[in-house]
Amino acid sequence: SGDTSNAVNVDSDKHNIFGNSTDSTNAINVEISADNTAWYNMGIDIFPDSGDGDFQLSLDMPIQYIRLKFGGTATVTASVISS
């Protein structure tokens, strides 16, 4: 709980975050940064599907770096596609 993913330099305007989690009870938070040092919580919570643990979120905003912060203890696999 409270762990973060690796940061990804997306440097783009459109983003699709998707993946799977073994924890469908606790939220996954999206954090962004302009310099890969100071991180800010976007206030967006992702709740994986209670049936299969899949999740997906689309963002339409300029972002330099992005990472995920986990609210629970789980195995999470995630990808981000940006354009």
Side-chain angles (χ1 to χ4, degrees), residues 10-72:
V10 290
D11 191 19
S12 189
D13 295 336
K14 296 181 188 296
H15 317 277
N16 189 19
I17 303 165
F18 58 96
N20 183 275
S21 175
T22 58
D23 178 2
S24 60
T25 305
N26 295 292
I28 300 170
N29 308 111
V30 179
E31 295 186 334
I32 59 173
S33 174
D35 59 8
N36 199 20
T37 301
W39 288 93
Y40 303 95
N41 186 330
M42 290 186 66
I44 297 173
D45 293 333
I46 302 171
F47 286 95
D49 183 75
S50 62
D52 58 13
D54 291 343
F55 60 86
Q56 185 274 332
L57 175 69
S58 295
L59 299 170
D60 189 1
M61 60 182 6
I63 297 173
Q64 182 68 44
Y65 293 92
I66 193 167
R67 72 181 184 186
L68 302 178
K69 184 173 183 177
F70 310 109

